[in-house]
Amino acid sequence: MKLKHISRQLLKNYIFIMIIIITLGLTTFFLNLTYTNSKINNSIFDIDSFLYDYNNGFDYALSKQNLEKKDFLIVFDYDYEVIDVYNYKLNKGDQLDYSEYNSFYDNEDPYSYYEFESDDGEYIFLLYLAPVTTNMIFVILIISIAIITFIIFTLFLAKKTGKNIIRPLELISQGVKEISNGNYNHIIQFETSNELDDIRDDINHMSLQLKHEIERRKQLENERNQLILSLSHDIKTPLTNVIGYSQMLLNQSIEDENIKQSLEIINKYGLTAAALTDELFDFTKLNMDYQHMLTERLDIVEVIRLKLIEYVNEFETLHINYQFNLPSTPIYTQLNRMKFYRVLDNLLQNSINYNHKSFDITVDVQSIDDQIRITIEDTGIGIPQTYHQTIFNPMVRVESSRNRNLGGTGLGLSIAKQIMINHNGDITIDSTYTDGCRFVLILPIKN
Ligand code: ADP
């Protein structure tokens, strides 16, 4: 089985950690074993041969044995007088103190002391074989070094893994976020020798493709908009002729009722087509110019107040109850006054056109946090819930029977939406309101 790079890297890590753990375990085990065995002295001392050689002198007899540095040997007689001594603080002829003698056996390590007599029973030999004590500090030191080595290598591995896997993954995630936010120029940059390089290349390639695709779409959209603009412009001239000539004929006294009716139909549809062409032109232009709309800093309360004043007479004539809740202090925003008036006109005209007499219109303006919230609501027939999702799309009109004679184009609300978006704001329909229609307009405050 051929392992990929990341798997190989992880496998390497696992093996390395396993080796360190095993080494650490074995070290501890052997050190522990050494310490347990340390009670055993490694000196080689053969009592029989020593006694035999002692007849030829103490030093000679000693030289045949193999005592270690801390061992000692005292030869004394039954009066505790020291005859010979090796490696102990007493000298020949000294008296071995009885309590000192006893202290050897009170020691924690009685088995390290051996006492034997000479063949003739004249001397006593006291042999001390020092236990080889392992230094605990040394053991702790070794274990500490092992642990530190383990930590250092683990950190090293973590860093290496981080460099080869985690950091690239972070860069990939960051890059994907950038791309999903529309920054198609973002290029993910890192260098590993594993599969993440392939992912990096794929994502960079995808982002480049998306960029090209979006540019292509923009270009197509632009071409389509240009086509609509020139078409609506070109249609305008023949339509003006149709409307003008039909009107001219209608202005004359026509006796034939059929011809008169036909002329009226031609004139009416000519006007509808002209209105549609105008709105289509405006909608397309708004779509194209959304970044270049001219605005000025204006008090929105004053702008709305002026527009509402224009409507007061009409409301009263039509017996429409109106209520305007405008704040007494100014609220500023960047506005294209004429375009915004178009939104207000569309909403107010719709209320007037689509509702029967004697209903209420309420306009409310508030500032909430850093936004201006304008609600325009009526207590008319409302727009059915099923249309709420699509009502701002171009050419959407509520079932034609009720609109048949009103001459709308179905573009008014989509133009309003585009204008609000061009102001970095929005317009929505409040689906929780069921007494008629409530439109909510949002604009950013510009202090
Ligand atoms: P139109 O040119 O047809 O008026 P709009 O986009 O302005 O186009 O409106 C879309 C449809 O929404 C209209 O055809 C109408 O049926 C409905 N509508 C808009 N405003 C209201 C309202 N205040 N009350 C009832 N229906 C409305």
Side-chain angles (χ1 to χ4, degrees), residues 249-271:
L249 290 172
L250 276 171
N251 288 344
Q252 295 171 15
S253 52
I254 297 163
E255 298 197 347
D256 190 328
E257 237 355 86
N258 282 339
I259 295 178
K260 200 177 169 198
Q261 267 183 12
S262 304
L263 280 171
E264 277 169 356
I265 291 172
I266 292 169
N267 187 264
K268 186 185 151 203
Y269 281 103
L271 284 169

PDB file of all heavy atoms in Angstrom, residues 249-271:
ATOM      1  N   LEU A 249     -56.185  62.136 -34.459  1.00  0.00           N
ATOM      2  CA  LEU A 249     -57.416  61.691 -35.116  1.00  0.00           C
ATOM      3  C   LEU A 249     -58.595  61.747 -34.153  1.00  0.00           C
ATOM      4  O   LEU A 249     -59.696  62.127 -34.516  1.00  0.00           O
ATOM      5  CB  LEU A 249     -57.237  60.261 -35.645  1.00  0.00           C
ATOM      6  CG  LEU A 249     -56.275  60.132 -36.831  1.00  0.00           C
ATOM      7  CD1 LEU A 249     -56.009  58.671 -37.155  1.00  0.00           C
ATOM      8  CD2 LEU A 249     -56.869  60.840 -38.064  1.00  0.00           C
ATOM      9  N   LEU A 250     -58.320  61.376 -32.884  1.00  0.00           N
ATOM     10  CA  LEU A 250     -59.392  61.390 -31.882  1.00  0.00           C
ATOM     11  C   LEU A 250     -59.886  62.811 -31.623  1.00  0.00           C
ATOM     12  O   LEU A 250     -61.060  63.017 -31.281  1.00  0.00           O
ATOM     13  CB  LEU A 250     -58.896  60.778 -30.560  1.00  0.00           C
ATOM     14  CG  LEU A 250     -58.958  59.262 -30.454  1.00  0.00           C
ATOM     15  CD1 LEU A 250     -58.235  58.782 -29.216  1.00  0.00           C
ATOM     16  CD2 LEU A 250     -60.390  58.773 -30.429  1.00  0.00           C
ATOM     17  N   ASN A 251     -58.984  63.762 -31.808  1.00  0.00           N
ATOM     18  CA  ASN A 251     -59.375  65.154 -31.571  1.00  0.00           C
ATOM     19  C   ASN A 251     -60.348  65.665 -32.652  1.00  0.00           C
ATOM     20  O   ASN A 251     -61.008  66.678 -32.467  1.00  0.00           O
ATOM     21  CB  ASN A 251     -58.144  66.054 -31.534  1.00  0.00           C
ATOM     22  CG  ASN A 251     -57.354  65.815 -30.246  1.00  0.00           C
ATOM     23  OD1 ASN A 251     -57.875  65.231 -29.301  1.00  0.00           O
ATOM     24  ND2 ASN A 251     -56.089  66.248 -30.222  1.00  0.00           N
ATOM     25  N   GLN A 252     -60.374  64.949 -33.760  1.00  0.00           N
ATOM     26  CA  GLN A 252     -61.318  65.351 -34.814  1.00  0.00           C
ATOM     27  C   GLN A 252     -62.665  64.667 -34.577  1.00  0.00           C
ATOM     28  O   GLN A 252     -62.718  63.640 -33.916  1.00  0.00           O
ATOM     29  CB  GLN A 252     -60.748  64.950 -36.170  1.00  0.00           C
ATOM     30  CG  GLN A 252     -59.474  65.752 -36.435  1.00  0.00           C
ATOM     31  CD  GLN A 252     -58.714  65.298 -37.637  1.00  0.00           C
ATOM     32  OE1 GLN A 252     -59.256  64.552 -38.464  1.00  0.00           O
ATOM     33  NE2 GLN A 252     -57.478  65.734 -37.727  1.00  0.00           N
ATOM     34  N   SER A 253     -63.695  65.241 -35.115  1.00  0.00           N
ATOM     35  CA  SER A 253     -65.024  64.637 -34.880  1.00  0.00           C
ATOM     36  C   SER A 253     -65.200  63.406 -35.783  1.00  0.00           C
ATOM     37  O   SER A 253     -65.303  63.508 -36.997  1.00  0.00           O
ATOM     38  CB  SER A 253     -66.132  65.656 -35.132  1.00  0.00           C
ATOM     39  OG  SER A 253     -65.950  66.224 -36.400  1.00  0.00           O
ATOM     40  N   ILE A 254     -65.161  62.270 -35.158  1.00  0.00           N
ATOM     41  CA  ILE A 254     -65.284  61.009 -35.922  1.00  0.00           C
ATOM     42  C   ILE A 254     -66.707  60.496 -35.720  1.00  0.00           C
ATOM     43  O   ILE A 254     -67.179  60.320 -34.573  1.00  0.00           O
ATOM     44  CB  ILE A 254     -64.240  59.984 -35.443  1.00  0.00           C
ATOM     45  CG1 ILE A 254     -62.833  60.545 -35.717  1.00  0.00           C
ATOM     46  CG2 ILE A 254     -64.428  58.652 -36.119  1.00  0.00           C
ATOM     47  CD1 ILE A 254     -61.767  59.856 -34.951  1.00  0.00           C
ATOM     48  N   GLU A 255     -67.345  60.226 -36.817  1.00  0.00           N
ATOM     49  CA  GLU A 255     -68.744  59.815 -36.699  1.00  0.00           C
ATOM     50  C   GLU A 255     -68.877  58.326 -36.510  1.00  0.00           C
ATOM     51  O   GLU A 255     -69.708  57.861 -35.739  1.00  0.00           O
ATOM     52  CB  GLU A 255     -69.511  60.263 -37.940  1.00  0.00           C
ATOM     53  CG  GLU A 255     -69.426  61.753 -37.950  1.00  0.00           C
ATOM     54  CD  GLU A 255     -70.386  62.510 -38.800  1.00  0.00           C
ATOM     55  OE1 GLU A 255     -71.059  61.911 -39.642  1.00  0.00           O
ATOM     56  OE2 GLU A 255     -70.406  63.708 -38.558  1.00  0.00           O
ATOM     57  N   ASP A 256     -68.006  57.610 -37.189  1.00  0.00           N
ATOM     58  CA  ASP A 256     -68.109  56.143 -37.091  1.00  0.00           C
ATOM     59  C   ASP A 256     -67.633  55.683 -35.703  1.00  0.00           C
ATOM     60  O   ASP A 256     -66.463  55.844 -35.339  1.00  0.00           O
ATOM     61  CB  ASP A 256     -67.233  55.519 -38.193  1.00  0.00           C
ATOM     62  CG  ASP A 256     -67.462  54.029 -38.311  1.00  0.00           C
ATOM     63  OD1 ASP A 256     -67.756  53.418 -37.262  1.00  0.00           O
ATOM     64  OD2 ASP A 256     -67.315  53.489 -39.429  1.00  0.00           O
ATOM     65  N   GLU A 257     -68.577  55.140 -34.929  1.00  0.00           N
ATOM     66  CA  GLU A 257     -68.288  54.711 -33.544  1.00  0.00           C
ATOM     67  C   GLU A 257     -67.177  53.656 -33.497  1.00  0.00           C
ATOM     68  O   GLU A 257     -66.332  53.658 -32.591  1.00  0.00           O
ATOM     69  CB  GLU A 257     -69.557  54.131 -32.922  1.00  0.00           C
ATOM     70  CG  GLU A 257     -70.107  54.760 -31.603  1.00  0.00           C
ATOM     71  CD  GLU A 257     -69.301  55.849 -30.926  1.00  0.00           C
ATOM     72  OE1 GLU A 257     -69.415  57.059 -31.245  1.00  0.00           O
ATOM     73  OE2 GLU A 257     -68.506  55.478 -30.028  1.00  0.00           O
ATOM     74  N   ASN A 258     -67.200  52.747 -34.479  1.00  0.00           N
ATOM     75  CA  ASN A 258     -66.208  51.656 -34.509  1.00  0.00           C
ATOM     76  C   ASN A 258     -64.795  52.198 -34.686  1.00  0.00           C
ATOM     77  O   ASN A 258     -63.855  51.778 -33.990  1.00  0.00           O
ATOM     78  CB  ASN A 258     -66.504  50.686 -35.664  1.00  0.00           C
ATOM     79  CG  ASN A 258     -67.643  49.765 -35.294  1.00  0.00           C
ATOM     80  OD1 ASN A 258     -67.920  49.599 -34.101  1.00  0.00           O
ATOM     81  ND2 ASN A 258     -68.308  49.195 -36.292  1.00  0.00           N
ATOM     82  N   ILE A 259     -64.673  53.141 -35.614  1.00  0.00           N
ATOM     83  CA  ILE A 259     -63.348  53.728 -35.858  1.00  0.00           C
ATOM     84  C   ILE A 259     -62.893  54.482 -34.607  1.00  0.00           C
ATOM     85  O   ILE A 259     -61.729  54.383 -34.176  1.00  0.00           O
ATOM     86  CB  ILE A 259     -63.383  54.675 -37.078  1.00  0.00           C
ATOM     87  CG1 ILE A 259     -63.697  53.859 -38.336  1.00  0.00           C
ATOM     88  CG2 ILE A 259     -62.061  55.424 -37.244  1.00  0.00           C
ATOM     89  CD1 ILE A 259     -63.816  54.668 -39.602  1.00  0.00           C
ATOM     90  N   LYS A 260     -63.835  55.183 -33.959  1.00  0.00           N
ATOM     91  CA  LYS A 260     -63.501  55.962 -32.766  1.00  0.00           C
ATOM     92  C   LYS A 260     -62.967  55.031 -31.655  1.00  0.00           C
ATOM     93  O   LYS A 260     -61.933  55.283 -31.016  1.00  0.00           O
ATOM     94  CB  LYS A 260     -64.739  56.717 -32.289  1.00  0.00           C
ATOM     95  CG  LYS A 260     -64.402  57.877 -31.390  1.00  0.00           C
ATOM     96  CD  LYS A 260     -65.632  58.646 -30.988  1.00  0.00           C
ATOM     97  CE  LYS A 260     -65.222  59.607 -29.893  1.00  0.00           C
ATOM     98  NZ  LYS A 260     -66.347  60.082 -29.146  1.00  0.00           N
ATOM     99  N   GLN A 261     -63.731  53.916 -31.479  1.00  0.00           N
ATOM    100  CA  GLN A 261     -63.313  52.946 -30.420  1.00  0.00           C
ATOM    101  C   GLN A 261     -61.929  52.366 -30.723  1.00  0.00           C
ATOM    102  O   GLN A 261     -61.084  52.219 -29.834  1.00  0.00           O
ATOM    103  CB  GLN A 261     -64.334  51.818 -30.348  1.00  0.00           C
ATOM    104  CG  GLN A 261     -65.408  52.114 -29.315  1.00  0.00           C
ATOM    105  CD  GLN A 261     -66.386  50.957 -29.179  1.00  0.00           C
ATOM    106  OE1 GLN A 261     -66.145  49.865 -29.689  1.00  0.00           O
ATOM    107  NE2 GLN A 261     -67.470  51.219 -28.478  1.00  0.00           N
ATOM    108  N   SER A 262     -61.726  52.061 -32.025  1.00  0.00           N
ATOM    109  CA  SER A 262     -60.424  51.477 -32.402  1.00  0.00           C
ATOM    110  C   SER A 262     -59.302  52.466 -32.122  1.00  0.00           C
ATOM    111  O   SER A 262     -58.241  52.105 -31.588  1.00  0.00           O
ATOM    112  CB  SER A 262     -60.409  51.125 -33.891  1.00  0.00           C
ATOM    113  OG  SER A 262     -61.466  50.269 -34.179  1.00  0.00           O
ATOM    114  N   LEU A 263     -59.557  53.731 -32.459  1.00  0.00           N
ATOM    115  CA  LEU A 263     -58.535  54.751 -32.213  1.00  0.00           C
ATOM    116  C   LEU A 263     -58.243  54.897 -30.719  1.00  0.00           C
ATOM    117  O   LEU A 263     -57.090  55.064 -30.301  1.00  0.00           O
ATOM    118  CB  LEU A 263     -58.980  56.104 -32.784  1.00  0.00           C
ATOM    119  CG  LEU A 263     -58.791  56.277 -34.285  1.00  0.00           C
ATOM    120  CD1 LEU A 263     -59.465  57.548 -34.780  1.00  0.00           C
ATOM    121  CD2 LEU A 263     -57.295  56.337 -34.622  1.00  0.00           C
ATOM    122  N   GLU A 264     -59.309  54.810 -29.921  1.00  0.00           N
ATOM    123  CA  GLU A 264     -59.133  54.914 -28.458  1.00  0.00           C
ATOM    124  C   GLU A 264     -58.269  53.761 -27.935  1.00  0.00           C
ATOM    125  O   GLU A 264     -57.396  53.948 -27.089  1.00  0.00           O
ATOM    126  CB  GLU A 264     -60.493  54.922 -27.753  1.00  0.00           C
ATOM    127  CG  GLU A 264     -61.121  56.308 -27.736  1.00  0.00           C
ATOM    128  CD  GLU A 264     -62.569  56.302 -27.285  1.00  0.00           C
ATOM    129  OE1 GLU A 264     -63.120  55.194 -27.045  1.00  0.00           O
ATOM    130  OE2 GLU A 264     -63.143  57.392 -27.179  1.00  0.00           O
ATOM    131  N   ILE A 265     -58.549  52.557 -28.491  1.00  0.00           N
ATOM    132  CA  ILE A 265     -57.756  51.383 -28.061  1.00  0.00           C
ATOM    133  C   ILE A 265     -56.291  51.567 -28.468  1.00  0.00           C
ATOM    134  O   ILE A 265     -55.373  51.353 -27.678  1.00  0.00           O
ATOM    135  CB  ILE A 265     -58.340  50.075 -28.649  1.00  0.00           C
ATOM    136  CG1 ILE A 265     -59.688  49.801 -27.979  1.00  0.00           C
ATOM    137  CG2 ILE A 265     -57.390  48.897 -28.437  1.00  0.00           C
ATOM    138  CD1 ILE A 265     -60.471  48.656 -28.605  1.00  0.00           C
ATOM    139  N   ILE A 266     -56.076  52.016 -29.709  1.00  0.00           N
ATOM    140  CA  ILE A 266     -54.697  52.230 -30.193  1.00  0.00           C
ATOM    141  C   ILE A 266     -53.992  53.239 -29.278  1.00  0.00           C
ATOM    142  O   ILE A 266     -52.863  53.035 -28.829  1.00  0.00           O
ATOM    143  CB  ILE A 266     -54.691  52.735 -31.657  1.00  0.00           C
ATOM    144  CG1 ILE A 266     -55.172  51.631 -32.594  1.00  0.00           C
ATOM    145  CG2 ILE A 266     -53.293  53.209 -32.079  1.00  0.00           C
ATOM    146  CD1 ILE A 266     -55.446  52.095 -34.011  1.00  0.00           C
ATOM    147  N   ASN A 267     -54.691  54.319 -28.967  1.00  0.00           N
ATOM    148  CA  ASN A 267     -54.106  55.372 -28.138  1.00  0.00           C
ATOM    149  C   ASN A 267     -53.787  54.855 -26.740  1.00  0.00           C
ATOM    150  O   ASN A 267     -52.692  55.081 -26.202  1.00  0.00           O
ATOM    151  CB  ASN A 267     -55.087  56.531 -28.074  1.00  0.00           C
ATOM    152  CG  ASN A 267     -54.466  57.735 -27.368  1.00  0.00           C
ATOM    153  OD1 ASN A 267     -54.667  57.931 -26.180  1.00  0.00           O
ATOM    154  ND2 ASN A 267     -53.679  58.515 -28.111  1.00  0.00           N
ATOM    155  N   LYS A 268     -54.746  54.099 -26.155  1.00  0.00           N
ATOM    156  CA  LYS A 268     -54.565  53.607 -24.781  1.00  0.00           C
ATOM    157  C   LYS A 268     -53.371  52.644 -24.699  1.00  0.00           C
ATOM    158  O   LYS A 268     -52.490  52.783 -23.827  1.00  0.00           O
ATOM    159  CB  LYS A 268     -55.850  52.893 -24.337  1.00  0.00           C
ATOM    160  CG  LYS A 268     -55.833  52.481 -22.890  1.00  0.00           C
ATOM    161  CD  LYS A 268     -57.061  51.683 -22.541  1.00  0.00           C
ATOM    162  CE  LYS A 268     -56.727  50.721 -21.430  1.00  0.00           C
ATOM    163  NZ  LYS A 268     -57.625  49.603 -21.388  1.00  0.00           N
ATOM    164  N   TYR A 269     -53.328  51.683 -25.642  1.00  0.00           N
ATOM    165  CA  TYR A 269     -52.226  50.716 -25.601  1.00  0.00           C
ATOM    166  C   TYR A 269     -50.893  51.356 -25.951  1.00  0.00           C
ATOM    167  O   TYR A 269     -49.841  50.951 -25.441  1.00  0.00           O
ATOM    168  CB  TYR A 269     -52.540  49.499 -26.471  1.00  0.00           C
ATOM    169  CG  TYR A 269     -53.478  48.553 -25.732  1.00  0.00           C
ATOM    170  CD1 TYR A 269     -54.830  48.503 -26.054  1.00  0.00           C
ATOM    171  CD2 TYR A 269     -53.009  47.750 -24.698  1.00  0.00           C
ATOM    172  CE1 TYR A 269     -55.698  47.673 -25.365  1.00  0.00           C
ATOM    173  CE2 TYR A 269     -53.873  46.917 -24.005  1.00  0.00           C
ATOM    174  CZ  TYR A 269     -55.213  46.876 -24.339  1.00  0.00           C
ATOM    175  OH  TYR A 269     -56.060  46.062 -23.653  1.00  0.00           O
ATOM    176  N   GLY A 270     -50.976  52.372 -26.812  1.00  0.00           N
ATOM    177  CA  GLY A 270     -49.764  53.126 -27.132  1.00  0.00           C
ATOM    178  C   GLY A 270     -49.197  53.778 -25.876  1.00  0.00           C
ATOM    179  O   GLY A 270     -47.986  53.709 -25.604  1.00  0.00           O
ATOM    180  N   LEU A 271     -50.108  54.368 -25.078  1.00  0.00           N
ATOM    181  CA  LEU A 271     -49.676  55.032 -23.832  1.00  0.00           C
ATOM    182  C   LEU A 271     -49.092  54.012 -22.848  1.00  0.00           C
ATOM    183  O   LEU A 271     -48.052  54.247 -22.208  1.00  0.00           O
ATOM    184  CB  LEU A 271     -50.861  55.763 -23.183  1.00  0.00           C
ATOM    185  CG  LEU A 271     -51.262  57.094 -23.855  1.00  0.00           C
ATOM    186  CD1 LEU A 271     -52.593  57.596 -23.319  1.00  0.00           C
ATOM    187  CD2 LEU A 271     -50.179  58.158 -23.621  1.00  0.00           C
TER     188      LEU A 271
END
